[in-house]
Amino acid sequence: MTLEFEPAQLRAYFVCGTQDVVGRDLETVVQTALDAGITAFQYRDKGASQLTAAQRLTLGQRLRQRCADAHVPFIVDDDVELALALQADGIHVGQSDDRVTQVIERVAGQLFVGLSCSTLAEIKVANQIDGIAYIGSGPIFPTNSKADADPVVGLAGLRELVAASQRPIVAIGGITVDQLPAIAATGAAGAAVISMLAQSPDMAATVKAMLTASEAQL
Ligand SMILES: Cc1ncc(COP(=O)(O)OP(=O)(O)O)c(N)n1
Ligand SMILES: Cc1ncsc1CCOP(=O)(O)O
Ligand SMILES: [Mg+2]
């Protein structure tokens, strides 16, 4: 049984893959984040990841189970067939991945769909597409975690995207704890982060800061 999408799931959204925690055990990192209270986890294993497809599936099965046990949505990045094989709760695709209308049709009734939008034009197109649960907008700030990131949109750009979007927006890209209140003030439903949590010395405190900042959005 998969979880239905709810905007509150966007409040403390952890995105991670083995490439983001080199020399560490991703399963342990994710469990620590779940124990700290993250509201969503996205399995984004790509780029410098050294996993074979079989290893990515096996690890995904273990991460999926940990998220299910914590009643936290398990979202897969990019790979629709992996998401279906893992019985994920959601799939996240970008503008250069499989066409979102085809993804929505492929996963209909099984997974919710998130889409990356970093311009008003992309938001306006997304507003016309039924079946998109949320928008990931970014990068808000410069990021070291995505080599092919779009140009930075900044807080003013985020505010414009939120005002134009008919779906809840989660901010992503170069986010640090000190910027969480300003991100919430734009009307974004929450923050999606890699480094801020993967490299946090105190995940419980970092997740608490994410939840506190996004409280006003409830
Ligand atoms: C929550 C969230 N927002 C944006 C992205 C970026 O997706 P995409 O543009 O497809 O880039 P990759 O992550 O695939 O490199 C995301 N993954 N999650
Ligand atoms: C996946 C993604 N999409 C836009 S920026 C980004 C990377 C976010 O990583 P970090 O939080 O470490 O900047
Ligand atoms: Mg993608």
Side-chain angles (χ1 to χ4, degrees):
M1 180 60 194
T2 56
L3 294 172
E4 296 287 321
F5 172 75
E6 295 173 10
Q9 294 165 351
L10 302 177
R11 295 180 62 204
Y13 188 150
F14 184 34
V15 179
C16 204
T18 55
Q19 73 280 359
D20 302 306
V21 288
V22 174
R24 297 160 64 193
D25 177 54
L26 179 61
E27 202 173 343
T28 301
V29 171
V30 172
Q31 188 59 54
T32 305
L34 289 167
D35 294 343
I38 57 169
T39 54
F41 172 70
Q42 182 186 125
Y43 185 37
R44 177 180 180 270
D45 197 74
K46 65 187 297 183
S49 169
Q50 300 296 306
L51 297 188
T52 64
Q55 290 169 328
R56 186 167 291 122
L57 176 66
T58 303
L59 177 55
Q61 289 166 335
R62 296 204 301 268
L63 296 172
R64 201 272 171 276
Q65 186 59 55
R66 288 180 182 269
C67 288
D69 292 346
H71 306 290
V72 168
F74 176 78
I75 299 154
V76 172
D77 183 49
D78 287 354
D79 189 334
V80 178
E81 296 312 316
L82 177 62
L84 289 165
L86 293 173
Q87 295 182 303
D89 298 294
I91 175 83
H92 189 94
V93 291
Q95 298 288 326
S96 58
D97 295 315
D98 294 350
R99 187 179 299 277
V100 69
T101 47
Q102 292 173 344
V103 172
I104 290 166
E105 188 176 336
R106 180 78 178 88
V107 304
Q110 301 177 76
L111 292 78
F112 58 78
V113 178
L115 175 69
S116 295
C117 293
S118 59
T119 68
L120 284 174
E122 291 170 350
I123 290 285
K124 288 173 182 169
V125 169
N127 283 343
Q128 302 306 314
I129 298 172
D130 290 336
I132 295 172
Y134 73 88
I135 301 292
S137 85
I140 307 306
F141 304 110
T143 178
N144 296 320
S145 304
K146 177 176 167 59
D148 58 345
D150 286 337
V152 167
V153 300
L155 289 168
L158 174 59
R159 193 176 297 110
E160 285 182 353
L161 297 177
V162 169
S165 180
Q166 293 175 10
R167 296 348 190 292
I169 289 193
V170 63
I172 189 167
I175 296 174
T176 54
V177 172
D178 58 301
Q179 294 151 337
L180 291 170
I183 287 168
T186 68
V193 303
I194 298 177
S195 307
M196 190 175 90
L197 279 172
Q199 295 167 18
S200 171
D202 183 347
M203 268 206 192
T206 304
V207 172
K208 184 168 186 244
M210 298 176 83
L211 295 173
T212 301
S214 59
E215 240 162 19
Q217 307 309 89
L218 285 177

